[in-house]
């Protein structure tokens, strides 16, 4: 496999963009490789600048649940473009989108569109603080909620991978209001409430953590968070930026049967466009300007083109709910194939799956929190990634991420992936 063109572009890229990329994980640093520059995508596959093709398990980190260049999403995009790209004035499609989200997600009675998941969590926390009149928030070690100052505290994904617990440039004064608790550890949260109960505005959590590798929350843990927040007058925020419209149409909230007070969305709701949203109970959301005193705005928020594609993505999912069971079937097929390979080769690896999200951890498990996943062998993951890449499979370029499946993935793609997985593991452990 040749990477000459990608290499050339990368050499140019580093001159003009920090690290040559617009988001750190794309630099492939934690798998010791140079980034692959993508030229196009169709269905389950992507093609790079050198003409290599890959079965794609990143899917833009989740948004492309229907695969690349899905015809339905693109069918009248030209007409929409020709009627104007952006107005900075309200459009009807924003109302359609908002109504659709409200109808789909139990806890959301009103919703505000933004441009990224980062903006969604930032705004949700501001609203929770405004509503409660309190400053402190609880987040969990290993959860990632975007790159807001107050949430870059021992946060997941990039930060774990690079071994940097907090970002430079974040004032200590800001993070002093962030309490970091252990994922899946209710006692830890209760202790925080004993100490700071009256000051805690909100708990923010990934109900199924996808940014330390895949670590689903235990049901009792989420139920515990629901009651402890209720008892203390704090807001429970589910960050469903990954899981919303992915693990089921009603998100993790529906799967667990637990209603938060607020929820954040991103990724899938934009269908590949830069879209985020936050919403919640009417009483809370009416705090947002211009109805209430919490300021939040956006020049391109609710951008018509992004709304059309995002809305179409959601409509397609809502009208074909068997998509979710089909996706899970594919994921189970992949999970079982990999599990069989691991057993046959007798290696210390664990495949974790939740609906259509998976992580192959190079460690024994169980994986219930950040400390657990830290025990994984990232060197082996790095080798594994490169072995799979050379066999035409694009995996997340870091151990502490998830694979995302799309409906475009065929049984042949999965069979090929399982075979490649066997060969890759064999090559590494021989
Ligand atoms: C991706 C992600 C975000 C941040 O979204 P961006 O659009 O990248 O800003 C927030 N929360 C979770 C759980 C995510 O996975």
């Amino acid at each position: 496999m040749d990477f000459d063109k990608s290499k050339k572009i990368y050499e140019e890229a580093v001159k003009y963009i920090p690290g040559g990329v617009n988001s750190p994980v794309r630099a492939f640093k934690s798998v010791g490789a140079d980034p692959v520059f993508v030229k196009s995508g169709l269905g389950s596959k992507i093609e790079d600048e050198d003409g290599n093709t890959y079965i794609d398990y990143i899917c833009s980190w989740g948004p492309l649940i229907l695969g690349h260049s899905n015809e339905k999403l693109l069918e009248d995009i030209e007409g929409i473009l020709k009627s104007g790209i952006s107005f900075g004035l309200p459009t009807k499609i924003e109302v359609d989108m908002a109504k659709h989200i409200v109808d789909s997600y139990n806890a959301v009675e009103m919703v505000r569109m933004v441009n990224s998941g980062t903006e969604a969590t930032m705004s949700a926390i501001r609203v929770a603080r405004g509503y409660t009149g309190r400053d402190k928030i609880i987040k969990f070690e290993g959860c990632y909620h975007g790159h807001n100052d107050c949430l870059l505290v021992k946060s997941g994904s990039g930060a774990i991978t690079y071994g940097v617990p907090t970002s430079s440039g974040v004032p200590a004064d800001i993070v002093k209001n962030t309490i970091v608790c252990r994922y899946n550890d209710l006692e830890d949260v209760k202790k925080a409430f004993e100490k700071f109960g009256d000051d805690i505005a909100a708990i923010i959590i990934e109900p199924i953590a996808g940014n330390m590798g895949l670590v689903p929350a235990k049901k009792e843990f989420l139920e515990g968070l629901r009651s402890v927040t209720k008892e203390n007058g704090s807001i429970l925020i589910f960050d469903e930026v990954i899981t919303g419209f992915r693990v089921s149409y009603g998100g993790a909230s529906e799967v667990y049967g637990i209603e938060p007070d607020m929820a954040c969305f991103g990724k899938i709701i934009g269908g590949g466009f830069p879209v985020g949203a936050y919403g919640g109970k009417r009483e809370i959301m009416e705090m947002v300007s211009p109805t209430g005193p919490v300021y939040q705005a956006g020049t391109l928020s609710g951008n018509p083109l992004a709304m059309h594609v995002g809305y179409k993505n959601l409509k397609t999912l809502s009208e074909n709910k068997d998509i979710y069971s089909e996706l899970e079937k594919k994921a189970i097929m992949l999970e079982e194939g990999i599990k069989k390979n691991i057993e046959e080769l007798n290696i210390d690896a664990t495949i974790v799956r939740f609906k259509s999200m998976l992580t192959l951890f190079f460690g024994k498990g169980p994986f219930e929190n950040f400390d657990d996943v830290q025990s994984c062998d990232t060197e082996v993951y790095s080798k594994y990634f490169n072995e799979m890449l050379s066999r035409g499979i694009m995996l997340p370029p870091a151990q502490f991420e998830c694979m995302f499946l799309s409906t475009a993935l065929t049984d042949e793609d999965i069979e090929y992936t399982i075979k490649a997985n066997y060969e890759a593991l064999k090559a590494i452990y021989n």
Side-chain angles (χ1 to χ4, degrees), residues 17 22 62 72 113 207 225 239 241 272 303 308 321 332 355:
I17 310 171
N22 283 313
K72 224 182 200 140
M113 303 307 301
L225 298 186
D239 179 351
V241 169
N303 171 267
H308 271 281
K321 289 235 174 79
I332 290 172
K355 303 290 179 182

Side-chain angles (χ1 to χ4, degrees), residues 217-237:
K218 292 180 182 165
K219 186 157 196 250
E220 315 82 71
F221 174 62
L222 290 181
E223 281 168 349
L225 298 186
R226 182 61 284 183
S227 17
V228 79
T229 44
K230 212 166 236 168
E231 283 158 24
N232 288 277
S234 306
I235 302 290
L236 180 61
I237 306 171

Side-chain angles (χ1 to χ4, degrees), residues 316-334:
T316 308
L317 294 171
S318 72
E319 284 162 7
N320 303 277
K321 289 235 174 79
D322 48 354
I323 278 178
Y324 291 96
S325 52
E326 280 166 25
L327 268 176
E328 186 165 21
K329 234 199 258 160
K330 290 179 206 283
I332 290 172
M333 184 177 164
L334 186 60

Side-chain angles (χ1 to χ4, degrees), residues 2-16:
D2 255 330
F3 297 104
D4 297 349
K5 287 190 180 149
S6 271
K7 277 210 165 67
K8 275 218 178 77
I9 298 169
Y10 181 48
E11 280 163 19
E12 279 288 286
V14 292
K15 292 185 205 159
Y16 308 109

Side-chain angles (χ1 to χ4, degrees), residues 133-322:
R134 304 170 179 180
D135 288 342
K136 293 203 186 303
I137 54 164
I138 292 179
K139 87 168 283 279
F140 295 92
E141 197 169 19
C143 284
Y144 176 70
H145 305 289
H147 59 95
N148 304 302
D149 280 357
C150 72
L151 294 169
L152 282 179
V153 190
K154 292 186 189 172
S155 67
S157 183
I160 298 181
T161 307
Y162 291 120
V164 184
T166 52
S167 167
S168 162
V170 174
D173 251 16
I174 287 182
V175 297
K176 76 169 191 229
N177 283 314
T178 308
I179 305 158
V180 181
C181 290
R182 241 163 96 99
Y183 200 77
N184 272 325
D185 185 345
L186 190 58
E187 287 312 307
D188 210 25
V189 178
K190 283 186 177 160
K191 269 184 222 152
F193 270 95
E194 273 161 29
K195 199 161 173 198
F196 302 110
D198 291 348
D199 293 331
I200 297 171
I203 292 181
I204 185 164
I205 185 165
E206 285 182 81
I208 298 154
N211 286 288
M212 50 176 152
L214 178 62
V215 180
K218 292 180 182 165
K219 186 157 196 250
E220 315 82 71
F221 174 62
L222 290 181
E223 281 168 349
L225 298 186
R226 182 61 284 183
S227 17
V228 79
T229 44
K230 212 166 236 168
E231 283 158 24
N232 288 277
S234 306
I235 302 290
L236 180 61
I237 306 171
F238 276 3
D239 179 351
E240 298 235 32
V241 169
I242 286 183
T243 50
F245 306 95
R246 151 83 48 193
V247 295
S248 91
Y249 199 68
S253 168
E254 185 173 81
V255 174
Y256 284 90
I258 296 167
E259 271 193 34
D261 303 299
M262 297 186 78
C264 301
F265 304 99
K267 300 193 169 113
I268 284 181
I269 63 166
F273 277 80
V275 177
Y278 66 99
K281 299 286 172 213
R282 182 174 306 278
E283 188 186 320
I284 300 171
M285 287 304 287
E286 281 182 340
M287 292 297 289
V288 180
S289 181
T291 325
V294 177
Y295 192 70
Q296 187 273 311
T299 302
L300 292 176
S301 293
N303 171 267
L305 183 60
M307 288 300 103
H308 271 281
V309 175
Y311 181 57
K312 221 163 205 179
N313 205 24
L314 296 189
K315 273 284 249 212
T316 308
L317 294 171
S318 72
E319 284 162 7
N320 303 277
K321 289 235 174 79
D322 48 354

